[in-house]
Amino acid sequence: MKSILSIQSHVVFGCAGNSAVVFPMRRMGVEVWPINTVQFSNHTQYQQGWQGMVMPVDQIKSLVDGLININSLSSCDAVLSGYLGSATQGKEVLYAVEQAKEHNADALYFCDPVMGHPEKGCIVVPEVMDFFKYQALPKADVIAPNLLELETLSDMKIGNIDQVKQACTMLLEQGVKMVLVKHLSKAGITTSQFEMLLATADGYYHITRPLYDFARQPVGVGDLISGLMLANLLAGHQPVRAFELTNAAVDAVLEATFKQDRYELQLIAAQDLIAQPEVKVNATTL
């Protein structure tokens, strides 16, 4: 059984950060050790607001040290990081990555560089953006930006698929083994489907899934993509197959959420197809 140390946000109600990935990854047969960067009552895109706190300085490091004390990091196969409440937490995440790799040389660092979307109510301080760009990126084995985050990481304005590939090449040349662009948005090939791109040393791969006409777009989809992709990689799937399985499972969750007319991701309803997704769309080589 593979084990993942997942360091990201937590909401009491709903699905975002660890609350969006811990159950699905466990349902896939992966042991997950969650460390929360923030604990909120609900995600920040509720108009009514939220309650909660950013975890104190040194909390992450202290918990990692506790894992070291019981010699558990020797069986840690990957560190997954997502939303950070402060730039200081970024340094603690890299401490966790350093310790995981020291205790297990094969451990991966999967970085989801959450930089926020102010227009959606997701706020991240500029120092966190700088952390991902200048400190996390050089340490990451896999990085999973959306289009806006890819623009920040590459210092490019991206408007088409060729520019996406160019930006991904820049990241690969900095040492990242894999780039998963979780949402191509305006740089995609079509407007009728949701599109993602996977870049590896072997090439560039494009995949689509249906768009659903939600009254309010669910939150936590990007977190879910990252968690499922990492779990599929640890299961031994080759990158392109892991990409296809991830796409299929996320589509199953979104379809269940849409059919039930819910705002929060319906992970429980879709759990069987998370564990055993039905791949209807294969990735194509660009």
Side-chain angles (χ1 to χ4, degrees):
M1 182 180 293
K2 300 295 185 177
S3 299
I4 296 172
L5 178 60
S6 181
I7 309 175
Q8 47 189 317
S9 61
H10 169 77
V11 292
V12 176
F13 174 84
C15 300
N18 275 331
S19 301
V21 304
V22 172
F23 170 74
M25 292 193 294
R26 286 176 174 167
R27 187 65 179 80
M28 293 172 69
V30 178
E31 183 65 62
V32 186
W33 310 333
I35 293 180
N36 302 327
T37 56
V38 303
Q39 178 156 290
F40 292 162
S41 56
N42 48 274
H43 68 67
T44 59
Q45 294 180 38
Y46 278 89
Q47 294 181 351
Q48 301 92 329
W50 73 95
Q51 299 294 323
M53 63 179 290
V54 176
M55 292 303 172
V57 173
D58 288 336
Q59 174 84 348
I60 296 170
K61 181 180 182 299
S62 176
L63 294 174
V64 171
D65 286 340
L67 297 177
I68 293 170
N69 290 342
I70 61 171
N71 196 33
S72 66
L73 286 189
S74 59
S75 59
C76 178
D77 297 288
V79 176
L80 170 63
S81 72
Y83 181 91
L84 301 178
S86 68
T88 301
Q89 288 184 334
K91 296 178 181 178
E92 296 180 60
V93 167
L94 292 188
Y95 174 75
V97 171
E98 174 188 308
Q99 292 300 315
K101 287 179 174 287
E102 181 175 317
H103 287 79
N104 178 8
D106 294 326
L108 296 175
Y109 174 32
F110 191 116
C111 177
D112 187 344
V114 180
M115 296 182 185
H117 297 279
E119 71 277 9
K120 293 183 179 180
C122 179
I123 308 299
V124 174
V125 297
E127 292 80 8
V128 169
M129 299 169 66
D130 289 342
F131 162 76
F132 284 123
K133 183 175 181 179
Y134 298 111
Q135 298 179 59
L137 178 60
K139 301 290 187 181
D141 297 294
V142 184
I143 196 161
N146 60 30
L147 187 66
L148 293 175
E149 293 157 355
L150 182 63
E151 288 183 327
T152 299
L153 293 170
S154 63
D155 283 324
M156 287 180 59
K157 197 67 179 175
I158 301 172
N160 58 56
I161 200 71
D162 287 334
Q163 291 172 338
V164 172
K165 291 166 62 178
Q166 181 183 348
C168 289
T169 298
M170 292 173 60
L171 302 192
L172 291 171
E173 289 175 346
Q174 293 184 52
V176 180
K177 299 179 181 67
M178 204 178 304
V179 183
L180 170 58
V181 186
K182 297 182 296 186
H183 187 190
L184 290 179
S185 186
K186 60 183 173 65
I189 298 171
T190 176
T191 58
S192 63
Q193 298 277 294
F194 188 97
E195 301 171 85
M196 299 192 294
L197 181 139
L198 178 69
T200 73
D202 295 327
Y204 304 89
Y205 307 92
H206 175 267
I207 203 164
T208 64
R209 67 175 185 268
L211 286 170
Y212 297 96
D213 188 21
F214 288 103
R216 293 186 297 175
Q217 287 294 326
V219 171
V221 179
D223 303 326
L224 181 63
I225 292 169
S226 293
L228 297 186
M229 183 67 178
L230 177 55
N232 279 311
L233 290 171
L234 291 183
H237 295 294
Q238 292 300 307
V240 176
R241 185 57 178 172
F243 188 42
E244 293 171 340
L245 290 165
T246 297
N247 187 61
V250 172
D251 179 54
V253 172
L254 289 172
E255 183 178 21
T257 304
F258 180 72
K259 286 182 175 179
Q260 295 188 26
D261 192 25
R262 302 292 293 274
Y263 181 33
E264 296 287 354
L265 294 175
Q266 295 302 291
L267 302 176
I268 305 298
Q271 62 178 296
D272 291 341
L273 286 173
I274 290 173
Q276 294 184 310
E278 180 183 354
V279 175
K280 302 175 183 177
V281 180
N282 296 113
T284 57
T285 304
L286 294 179

